[in-house]
Amino acid sequence: MSRRRRSGGRAARAAAREAARETRKVPFLTRKLAPLEVLTNEGAEIIEENAETILETVGLDITDSHALRTFVEAGAEAEGTRVRFPRGMCRQIIQASAPSVFTQVARNPERSVVIGGDNLVLVPAYGSPFVRDLEGGRRYATMEDFRNFVKLAYMSPYLHSSGGTVCEPVDIPIPKRHLDMVYAHLRWSDKPVMGSVTAPNRAADSVEMAALVFGEDFLEENAVIMGLCNANSPLTWDQAMLGSAREYARRNQAVLITPFILAGAMAPVTVAGSATLTLAEALVGMAYTQLVRPGAPVIFGSFASSMSMQSGAPTFGTPEPTLILFALAQIARRLGVPFRSGGNLTASKVPDAQAASESAATFQPTLLAGVNYVMHAAGWLEGGLTMGYEKFILDADQCGMAEALVTGVDLSTNGQALDPIIDLGPGQHHLGSEHTLANFETAFYRSFTADNNSYEQWSEEGSLRAVERANSLWKKALAEYEPPPFDEAVDDALHEYMAKKKETYPDFQA
C-alpha cells in the first residue's frame, strides 16, 4: 500500500511538472553567455581575405539567368555562367542593407521569434525521406508523419518554430506535395514556419499561401515565412536555389543561405579551407537577396560535416566541423548578419548511445558558438536520411536543457545565495533550508525523458529504456494534441488556392 501511495505521489508531482512545462511560453531564447571564439582577429581576416580572393579570381558558376544579369549590373564580370566578383563587392552589398536582427512573425504573435543578436531559435530537423519509430522501424515518410511532426513541434515548449520539410511525404506527388506541407504548418501549428524551395514556383506558392493567412500588405513590412537555399558546393549556385531565394526576397520574406559542405568532398579537408569556401559561397547568395530587395531578411548558414576517409560517408560529432562552426559564427558576427548552423546531428540509424554521443558533440558547440537559428535541433537520424519519433522527443529534452545553459549564471541576490550560506554555517546541510525550499521547483532543469530513480523503482516501473520512455511520450503528445484556432474563411481560401494549383501541376516531375 505504501509503495502505491509513493508511486501516486510521484505520478502527481510528475504530472504537475509536465503541466508546468507544457504551459511555458518562451518563444525563443536569449543568450547571456559570451560566445566562444576560436579565431584571433588576424585569423578571421585571413579567412575573409581568402574568400575574397576566390570570388575575385575563380568566381562561381551561376546558372540562374536573372541572378547572372543582376550580378553583372551590380559590377561583377561574367564569362558564360562563370561570374567573378570585384574584391569586397558582395560584402559591401550585404552590409549596406541586410538587417543584423529581424523578427519572424508567427500566426500567434506571442510565438514570434527574434533572429540575430543574442537570440537563439531552435527548429526541428529538415528534409528526411524516411521516418523511424520503435514499433514500425524505418520506412518512407507519409503526409500523416509530416502532420505528426508539425504537431509534436507545436506541442513542445522547447522548439520555437514549426520547421520546414520535417520529412518528405512520399505518398503525395513531388510537384504537389509542397502545397500540403505548407498548409500543414499554417493550419496545425501557430509557430513560425518555413516554406518550400525545391523549385521557384513552389517557393512562390509558399509565400502566396502565407499571404493568404497574414495578408498581402502585412508581408510588405513583416517576415512571416522563410526559405532554406543551399549552394551546390563547390562554387555553384543553381536556378532552383537562386530562383527560390528570389521569390522569398522580392516579397520581403526571409532567406536562409547555407552552403552544404562535406569536407573532403565539396571542400578541402582542412578547417580553414572549408570555412573559406563556405564563406565565399554564402557571400554570393546573401548579396543576391539584397540586390533583389535591399533590406530583405537573410541568414548566413553553415552546414559542415567531416567524412570517413575509408568509406566516404558523412560523420558527425568530430572536432573539425565544430571548429568550422565556431569560426564561421565569429565571421558572421563580423559581417553583421544572423547565423545558422546544425543541432543534434548523428550518423546513427537508431536512437542509441552513438546517437546520444554524436548529438551532444554537435549540439553543445552550437550553443557555445553563438548560433542564432539552429536547424535539425530535434529528430535527426542516419545523417539526415531519417526523422525519428523517439529521437525527436529525446532531442527536445536536450533543447529544454539548452535554456538553462545559455541564460548563464544568475547573480541576483537569490542567485548569489549568500544569506543561506552565512545563516547555516559549517556542518549544516542545505536540503531543508528556507532558500532551498523556495527554489527547489526551479533550481535545476528536470529532464522529462531521463530516469533518475533507484534501480528498484526503475525495475518496478518496467525497466524502461530511454527510447521506450520517449515512445510513450510522443504518442501521449499526439493523443492530447488540440489544434490552435484558425479562421474558417482563411482555411477555405487556402484550400481553394491549393485545389487550383494542383490542377495545373502534373503528378510526376519531368
Side-chain angles (χ1 to χ4, degrees), residues 269-431:
V269 295
T270 63
V271 169
S274 291
T276 299
L277 187 70
T278 299
L279 177 58
E281 294 175 349
L283 285 170
V284 171
M286 288 187 287
Y288 181 57
T289 68
Q290 299 310 296
L291 291 172
V292 170
R293 179 162 177 162
V298 66
I299 302 173
F300 176 6
S302 165
F303 186 96
S305 172
S306 53
M307 64 180 286
S308 168
M309 292 287 99
Q310 288 72 44
S311 68
T315 55
F316 298 93
T318 54
E320 295 80 13
T322 295
L323 291 172
I324 297 171
L325 164 64
F326 281 123
L328 289 174
Q330 183 176 344
I331 287 172
R333 286 188 290 274
R334 291 165 59 91
L335 185 60
V337 292
F339 183 68
R340 168 256 158 158
S341 194
N344 283 293
L345 310 178
T346 180
S348 180
K349 317 308 178 283
V350 295
D352 57 4
Q354 177 186 341
S357 173
E358 291 176 350
S359 294
T362 52
F363 191 48
Q364 289 286 341
T366 297
L367 300 178
L368 297 177
V371 175
N372 301 117
Y373 195 83
V374 182
M375 290 187 63
H376 314 310
W380 175 287
L381 281 171
E382 198 183 344
L385 288 175
T386 298
M387 186 73 157
Y389 278 88
E390 289 79 25
K391 179 66 158 45
F392 188 97
I393 296 299
L394 295 167
D395 288 343
D397 196 9
Q398 296 300 308
C399 291
M401 295 185 197
E403 182 177 357
L405 176 65
V406 302
T407 51
V409 178
D410 176 12
L411 290 175
S412 66
T413 300
N414 180 71
Q416 293 176 51
L418 185 59
D419 288 343
I421 295 172
I422 293 173
D423 292 343
L424 285 176
Q428 301 298 312
H429 68 72
H430 287 254
L431 185 60

Side-chain angles (χ1 to χ4, degrees), residues 434-468:
E434 182 178 341
H435 184 267
T436 298
L437 293 175
N439 287 276
F440 82 97
E441 283 286 356
T442 58
F444 308 113
Y445 177 80
R446 297 189 182 192
S447 167
F448 59 90
T449 63
D451 185 295
N452 300 306
N453 298 318
S454 67
Y455 175 83
E456 290 76 14
Q457 186 173 327
W458 170 75
S459 179
E460 179 183 323
E461 294 176 356
S463 307
L464 299 179
R465 298 170 297 156
V467 66
E468 293 164 332

